[in-house]
Amino acid sequence: QSALTQPASVSGSPGQSITISCTGTSSDVGAYNYVSWYQQHPGKAPKVMIYEVSNRPSGVSNRFSGSKSDNTASLTISGLQAEDEADYYCSSYTRSTTWVFGGGTKLTVL
Amino acid sequence: QVQLVESGGGVVQPGGSLRLSCAASGFTFSNSGMHWVRQAPGKGLEWVSFIMYDGSEEHYADSVKGRFIISRDSPKNTLYLEVSSLRPEDTAVYYCVKGAFWGFVSWGQGTLVTVSS
């Protein structure tokens, strides 16, 4: 049950786009389209931003989008805004009937 | 709307036990799989356990297998996590989460478990 690999930090200026990668294996990210992304502000509970690789829950801005290629999933945030500054985590269902998270990425809006 | 309220956290000595509870409302609890996810202070998220909507299956992370037990009482709309043989590395905020196969739909605010002598 190794954690998925995410960059520790990314940054961007308001209005720019950033992409956060999430690398797993053929036993998790590559096995199913059950990758999801979560936003967490300090002291708050996580909130789902993307599910099943590229679907946005109701109420989530269309500035957030997701994709996947082989064993790597990606979250892209376009038109960066100050309120996007947060920690972001990816997650995947695995062949072992478990779930695994990435280590998290701290997004800084410059 | 979905509401999940955790309770039962606290300070416990190494080797001790606790029972965490999660009161669910705003959705049909008996139709939903449920997870526990934890977050150590200043660290990332770690999936802990999952129980099927009808309690027919339970799954655990290797780090807690044999020490933690997930259960549910659907008539009471309540999820539980019995945590035992606690270690300092189990110190974390424990979140109750409404689940789906793709992951984690709605989160509670969490309850803090501190393992310390």
PDB file of all heavy atoms in Angstrom, chain B residues 14-40:
ATOM      1  N   PRO B  14      -0.181   4.559  25.149  1.00  0.00           N
ATOM      2  CA  PRO B  14       0.203   3.478  24.218  1.00  0.00           C
ATOM      3  C   PRO B  14      -0.316   2.139  24.725  1.00  0.00           C
ATOM      4  O   PRO B  14      -0.249   1.844  25.919  1.00  0.00           O
ATOM      5  CB  PRO B  14       1.729   3.532  24.235  1.00  0.00           C
ATOM      6  CG  PRO B  14       2.044   4.953  24.562  1.00  0.00           C
ATOM      7  CD  PRO B  14       0.980   5.390  25.528  1.00  0.00           C
ATOM      8  N   GLY B  15      -0.860   1.353  23.786  1.00  0.00           N
ATOM      9  CA  GLY B  15      -1.457   0.075  24.136  1.00  0.00           C
ATOM     10  C   GLY B  15      -2.928   0.162  24.490  1.00  0.00           C
ATOM     11  O   GLY B  15      -3.596  -0.872  24.628  1.00  0.00           O
ATOM     12  N   GLY B  16      -3.442   1.379  24.608  1.00  0.00           N
ATOM     13  CA  GLY B  16      -4.829   1.570  25.004  1.00  0.00           C
ATOM     14  C   GLY B  16      -5.805   1.438  23.856  1.00  0.00           C
ATOM     15  O   GLY B  16      -5.424   1.155  22.711  1.00  0.00           O
ATOM     16  N   SER B  17      -7.084   1.669  24.186  1.00  0.00           N
ATOM     17  CA  SER B  17      -8.171   1.505  23.209  1.00  0.00           C
ATOM     18  C   SER B  17      -9.146   2.664  23.302  1.00  0.00           C
ATOM     19  O   SER B  17      -9.252   3.337  24.333  1.00  0.00           O
ATOM     20  CB  SER B  17      -8.930   0.201  23.491  1.00  0.00           C
ATOM     21  OG  SER B  17      -8.092  -0.918  23.439  1.00  0.00           O
ATOM     22  N   LEU B  18      -9.875   2.862  22.201  1.00  0.00           N
ATOM     23  CA  LEU B  18     -10.954   3.848  22.131  1.00  0.00           C
ATOM     24  C   LEU B  18     -11.995   3.332  21.153  1.00  0.00           C
ATOM     25  O   LEU B  18     -11.684   2.512  20.286  1.00  0.00           O
ATOM     26  CB  LEU B  18     -10.439   5.192  21.609  1.00  0.00           C
ATOM     27  CG  LEU B  18      -9.646   6.133  22.507  1.00  0.00           C
ATOM     28  CD1 LEU B  18      -9.151   7.319  21.673  1.00  0.00           C
ATOM     29  CD2 LEU B  18     -10.494   6.610  23.679  1.00  0.00           C
ATOM     30  N   ARG B  19     -13.205   3.855  21.268  1.00  0.00           N
ATOM     31  CA  ARG B  19     -14.206   3.618  20.234  1.00  0.00           C
ATOM     32  C   ARG B  19     -14.642   4.958  19.672  1.00  0.00           C
ATOM     33  O   ARG B  19     -15.182   5.802  20.394  1.00  0.00           O
ATOM     34  CB  ARG B  19     -15.421   2.854  20.763  1.00  0.00           C
ATOM     35  CG  ARG B  19     -16.374   2.473  19.611  1.00  0.00           C
ATOM     36  CD  ARG B  19     -17.514   1.593  20.049  1.00  0.00           C
ATOM     37  NE  ARG B  19     -18.620   2.354  20.607  1.00  0.00           N
ATOM     38  CZ  ARG B  19     -19.872   1.894  20.679  1.00  0.00           C
ATOM     39  NH1 ARG B  19     -20.162   0.683  20.216  1.00  0.00           N
ATOM     40  NH2 ARG B  19     -20.824   2.630  21.227  1.00  0.00           N
ATOM     41  N   LEU B  20     -14.388   5.139  18.385  1.00  0.00           N
ATOM     42  CA  LEU B  20     -14.822   6.337  17.682  1.00  0.00           C
ATOM     43  C   LEU B  20     -16.204   6.093  17.096  1.00  0.00           C
ATOM     44  O   LEU B  20     -16.497   4.998  16.619  1.00  0.00           O
ATOM     45  CB  LEU B  20     -13.836   6.693  16.569  1.00  0.00           C
ATOM     46  CG  LEU B  20     -12.355   6.766  16.960  1.00  0.00           C
ATOM     47  CD1 LEU B  20     -11.529   7.193  15.756  1.00  0.00           C
ATOM     48  CD2 LEU B  20     -12.146   7.686  18.143  1.00  0.00           C
ATOM     49  N   SER B  21     -17.030   7.138  17.118  1.00  0.00           N
ATOM     50  CA  SER B  21     -18.372   7.049  16.554  1.00  0.00           C
ATOM     51  C   SER B  21     -18.565   8.145  15.522  1.00  0.00           C
ATOM     52  O   SER B  21     -17.905   9.193  15.573  1.00  0.00           O
ATOM     53  CB  SER B  21     -19.433   7.212  17.648  1.00  0.00           C
ATOM     54  OG  SER B  21     -19.320   6.214  18.629  1.00  0.00           O
ATOM     55  N   CYS B  22     -19.487   7.909  14.605  1.00  0.00           N
ATOM     56  CA  CYS B  22     -19.822   8.892  13.579  1.00  0.00           C
ATOM     57  C   CYS B  22     -21.325   8.852  13.368  1.00  0.00           C
ATOM     58  O   CYS B  22     -21.864   7.851  12.889  1.00  0.00           O
ATOM     59  CB  CYS B  22     -19.090   8.574  12.285  1.00  0.00           C
ATOM     60  SG  CYS B  22     -19.636   9.553  10.857  1.00  0.00           S
ATOM     61  N   ALA B  23     -21.991   9.937  13.734  1.00  0.00           N
ATOM     62  CA  ALA B  23     -23.437  10.051  13.534  1.00  0.00           C
ATOM     63  C   ALA B  23     -23.712  10.641  12.165  1.00  0.00           C
ATOM     64  O   ALA B  23     -23.226  11.733  11.851  1.00  0.00           O
ATOM     65  CB  ALA B  23     -24.038  10.928  14.625  1.00  0.00           C
ATOM     66  N   ALA B  24     -24.472   9.914  11.347  1.00  0.00           N
ATOM     67  CA  ALA B  24     -24.734  10.321   9.971  1.00  0.00           C
ATOM     68  C   ALA B  24     -26.165  10.793   9.795  1.00  0.00           C
ATOM     69  O   ALA B  24     -27.098  10.239  10.397  1.00  0.00           O
ATOM     70  CB  ALA B  24     -24.451   9.154   9.024  1.00  0.00           C
ATOM     71  N   SER B  25     -26.344  11.805   8.963  1.00  0.00           N
ATOM     72  CA  SER B  25     -27.686  12.297   8.634  1.00  0.00           C
ATOM     73  C   SER B  25     -27.658  12.968   7.279  1.00  0.00           C
ATOM     74  O   SER B  25     -26.593  13.278   6.742  1.00  0.00           O
ATOM     75  CB  SER B  25     -28.181  13.272   9.705  1.00  0.00           C
ATOM     76  OG  SER B  25     -27.323  14.386   9.789  1.00  0.00           O
ATOM     77  N   GLY B  26     -28.845  13.159   6.709  1.00  0.00           N
ATOM     78  CA  GLY B  26     -28.955  13.860   5.429  1.00  0.00           C
ATOM     79  C   GLY B  26     -28.839  12.968   4.213  1.00  0.00           C
ATOM     80  O   GLY B  26     -28.861  13.476   3.083  1.00  0.00           O
ATOM     81  N   PHE B  27     -28.697  11.667   4.416  1.00  0.00           N
ATOM     82  CA  PHE B  27     -28.661  10.723   3.305  1.00  0.00           C
ATOM     83  C   PHE B  27     -29.091   9.354   3.828  1.00  0.00           C
ATOM     84  O   PHE B  27     -29.221   9.165   5.038  1.00  0.00           O
ATOM     85  CB  PHE B  27     -27.271  10.649   2.672  1.00  0.00           C
ATOM     86  CG  PHE B  27     -26.186  10.091   3.576  1.00  0.00           C
ATOM     87  CD1 PHE B  27     -25.725   8.791   3.412  1.00  0.00           C
ATOM     88  CD2 PHE B  27     -25.633  10.865   4.579  1.00  0.00           C
ATOM     89  CE1 PHE B  27     -24.737   8.276   4.236  1.00  0.00           C
ATOM     90  CE2 PHE B  27     -24.646  10.367   5.413  1.00  0.00           C
ATOM     91  CZ  PHE B  27     -24.200   9.070   5.252  1.00  0.00           C
ATOM     92  N   THR B  28     -29.303   8.410   2.933  1.00  0.00           N
ATOM     93  CA  THR B  28     -29.730   7.074   3.328  1.00  0.00           C
ATOM     94  C   THR B  28     -28.505   6.265   3.722  1.00  0.00           C
ATOM     95  O   THR B  28     -27.821   5.676   2.881  1.00  0.00           O
ATOM     96  CB  THR B  28     -30.500   6.381   2.203  1.00  0.00           C
ATOM     97  OG1 THR B  28     -31.585   7.216   1.782  1.00  0.00           O
ATOM     98  CG2 THR B  28     -31.063   5.041   2.686  1.00  0.00           C
ATOM     99  N   PHE B  29     -28.224   6.269   5.028  1.00  0.00           N
ATOM    100  CA  PHE B  29     -27.007   5.656   5.564  1.00  0.00           C
ATOM    101  C   PHE B  29     -26.914   4.185   5.173  1.00  0.00           C
ATOM    102  O   PHE B  29     -25.842   3.697   4.823  1.00  0.00           O
ATOM    103  CB  PHE B  29     -27.003   5.818   7.081  1.00  0.00           C
ATOM    104  CG  PHE B  29     -25.800   5.249   7.777  1.00  0.00           C
ATOM    105  CD1 PHE B  29     -24.567   5.880   7.692  1.00  0.00           C
ATOM    106  CD2 PHE B  29     -25.904   4.096   8.539  1.00  0.00           C
ATOM    107  CE1 PHE B  29     -23.453   5.366   8.349  1.00  0.00           C
ATOM    108  CE2 PHE B  29     -24.801   3.560   9.190  1.00  0.00           C
ATOM    109  CZ  PHE B  29     -23.571   4.201   9.093  1.00  0.00           C
ATOM    110  N   SER B  30     -28.034   3.486   5.210  1.00  0.00           N
ATOM    111  CA  SER B  30     -28.029   2.045   4.966  1.00  0.00           C
ATOM    112  C   SER B  30     -27.714   1.696   3.510  1.00  0.00           C
ATOM    113  O   SER B  30     -27.509   0.523   3.192  1.00  0.00           O
ATOM    114  CB  SER B  30     -29.378   1.438   5.355  1.00  0.00           C
ATOM    115  OG  SER B  30     -30.420   2.047   4.623  1.00  0.00           O
ATOM    116  N   ASN B  31     -27.681   2.686   2.632  1.00  0.00           N
ATOM    117  CA  ASN B  31     -27.351   2.458   1.226  1.00  0.00           C
ATOM    118  C   ASN B  31     -25.926   2.863   0.868  1.00  0.00           C
ATOM    119  O   ASN B  31     -25.542   2.775  -0.300  1.00  0.00           O
ATOM    120  CB  ASN B  31     -28.300   3.246   0.305  1.00  0.00           C
ATOM    121  CG  ASN B  31     -29.697   2.657   0.282  1.00  0.00           C
ATOM    122  OD1 ASN B  31     -29.929   1.562   0.769  1.00  0.00           O
ATOM    123  ND2 ASN B  31     -30.640   3.411  -0.269  1.00  0.00           N
ATOM    124  N   SER B  32     -25.147   3.297   1.853  1.00  0.00           N
ATOM    125  CA  SER B  32     -23.853   3.892   1.546  1.00  0.00           C
ATOM    126  C   SER B  32     -22.705   3.162   2.219  1.00  0.00           C
ATOM    127  O   SER B  32     -22.741   2.914   3.428  1.00  0.00           O
ATOM    128  CB  SER B  32     -23.845   5.359   1.972  1.00  0.00           C
ATOM    129  OG  SER B  32     -22.620   5.965   1.619  1.00  0.00           O
ATOM    130  N   GLY B  33     -21.657   2.831   1.427  1.00  0.00           N
ATOM    131  CA  GLY B  33     -20.411   2.402   2.035  1.00  0.00           C
ATOM    132  C   GLY B  33     -19.791   3.566   2.790  1.00  0.00           C
ATOM    133  O   GLY B  33     -20.043   4.732   2.459  1.00  0.00           O
ATOM    134  N   MET B  34     -19.008   3.247   3.810  1.00  0.00           N
ATOM    135  CA  MET B  34     -18.413   4.282   4.660  1.00  0.00           C
ATOM    136  C   MET B  34     -16.937   4.001   4.905  1.00  0.00           C
ATOM    137  O   MET B  34     -16.522   2.846   5.033  1.00  0.00           O
ATOM    138  CB  MET B  34     -19.136   4.357   6.006  1.00  0.00           C
ATOM    139  CG  MET B  34     -20.607   4.724   5.925  1.00  0.00           C
ATOM    140  SD  MET B  34     -20.899   6.412   5.362  1.00  0.00           S
ATOM    141  CE  MET B  34     -20.156   7.364   6.695  1.00  0.00           C
ATOM    142  N   HIS B  35     -16.160   5.072   4.976  1.00  0.00           N
ATOM    143  CA  HIS B  35     -14.722   4.979   5.228  1.00  0.00           C
ATOM    144  C   HIS B  35     -14.358   5.687   6.523  1.00  0.00           C
ATOM    145  O   HIS B  35     -15.052   6.606   6.974  1.00  0.00           O
ATOM    146  CB  HIS B  35     -13.933   5.715   4.138  1.00  0.00           C
ATOM    147  CG  HIS B  35     -14.033   5.174   2.761  1.00  0.00           C
ATOM    148  ND1 HIS B  35     -13.216   4.180   2.279  1.00  0.00           N
ATOM    149  CD2 HIS B  35     -14.837   5.546   1.728  1.00  0.00           C
ATOM    150  CE1 HIS B  35     -13.493   3.951   1.008  1.00  0.00           C
ATOM    151  NE2 HIS B  35     -14.476   4.771   0.646  1.00  0.00           N
ATOM    152  N   TRP B  36     -13.193   5.311   7.055  1.00  0.00           N
ATOM    153  CA  TRP B  36     -12.439   6.122   8.004  1.00  0.00           C
ATOM    154  C   TRP B  36     -11.116   6.478   7.333  1.00  0.00           C
ATOM    155  O   TRP B  36     -10.457   5.621   6.745  1.00  0.00           O
ATOM    156  CB  TRP B  36     -12.173   5.381   9.302  1.00  0.00           C
ATOM    157  CG  TRP B  36     -13.374   5.221  10.186  1.00  0.00           C
ATOM    158  CD1 TRP B  36     -14.181   4.125  10.280  1.00  0.00           C
ATOM    159  CD2 TRP B  36     -13.894   6.180  11.110  1.00  0.00           C
ATOM    160  NE1 TRP B  36     -15.180   4.350  11.197  1.00  0.00           N
ATOM    161  CE2 TRP B  36     -15.017   5.599  11.723  1.00  0.00           C
ATOM    162  CE3 TRP B  36     -13.518   7.482  11.494  1.00  0.00           C
ATOM    163  CZ2 TRP B  36     -15.776   6.268  12.698  1.00  0.00           C
ATOM    164  CZ3 TRP B  36     -14.263   8.144  12.449  1.00  0.00           C
ATOM    165  CH2 TRP B  36     -15.380   7.544  13.045  1.00  0.00           C
ATOM    166  N   VAL B  37     -10.763   7.760   7.431  1.00  0.00           N
ATOM    167  CA  VAL B  37      -9.502   8.276   6.897  1.00  0.00           C
ATOM    168  C   VAL B  37      -8.855   9.073   8.009  1.00  0.00           C
ATOM    169  O   VAL B  37      -9.542   9.783   8.750  1.00  0.00           O
ATOM    170  CB  VAL B  37      -9.747   9.190   5.669  1.00  0.00           C
ATOM    171  CG1 VAL B  37      -8.438   9.834   5.200  1.00  0.00           C
ATOM    172  CG2 VAL B  37     -10.392   8.395   4.523  1.00  0.00           C
ATOM    173  N   ARG B  38      -7.542   8.994   8.155  1.00  0.00           N
ATOM    174  CA  ARG B  38      -6.885   9.738   9.225  1.00  0.00           C
ATOM    175  C   ARG B  38      -5.791  10.646   8.673  1.00  0.00           C
ATOM    176  O   ARG B  38      -5.306  10.468   7.554  1.00  0.00           O
ATOM    177  CB  ARG B  38      -6.308   8.799  10.281  1.00  0.00           C
ATOM    178  CG  ARG B  38      -5.120   7.959   9.825  1.00  0.00           C
ATOM    179  CD  ARG B  38      -4.701   6.995  10.940  1.00  0.00           C
ATOM    180  NE  ARG B  38      -3.564   6.177  10.554  1.00  0.00           N
ATOM    181  CZ  ARG B  38      -3.039   5.236  11.328  1.00  0.00           C
ATOM    182  NH1 ARG B  38      -3.549   4.994  12.538  1.00  0.00           N
ATOM    183  NH2 ARG B  38      -1.985   4.532  10.903  1.00  0.00           N
ATOM    184  N   GLN B  39      -5.429  11.629   9.498  1.00  0.00           N
ATOM    185  CA  GLN B  39      -4.398  12.595   9.124  1.00  0.00           C
ATOM    186  C   GLN B  39      -3.589  12.941  10.360  1.00  0.00           C
ATOM    187  O   GLN B  39      -4.103  13.587  11.279  1.00  0.00           O
ATOM    188  CB  GLN B  39      -5.026  13.849   8.512  1.00  0.00           C
ATOM    189  CG  GLN B  39      -4.032  14.838   7.961  1.00  0.00           C
ATOM    190  CD  GLN B  39      -4.711  15.936   7.153  1.00  0.00           C
ATOM    191  OE1 GLN B  39      -5.819  16.376   7.448  1.00  0.00           O
ATOM    192  NE2 GLN B  39      -4.035  16.395   6.099  1.00  0.00           N
ATOM    193  N   ALA B  40      -2.348  12.491  10.388  1.00  0.00           N
ATOM    194  CA  ALA B  40      -1.452  12.829  11.486  1.00  0.00           C
ATOM    195  C   ALA B  40      -1.148  14.325  11.446  1.00  0.00           C
ATOM    196  O   ALA B  40      -1.204  14.943  10.366  1.00  0.00           O
ATOM    197  CB  ALA B  40      -0.171  12.013  11.386  1.00  0.00           C
TER     198      ALA B  40
END
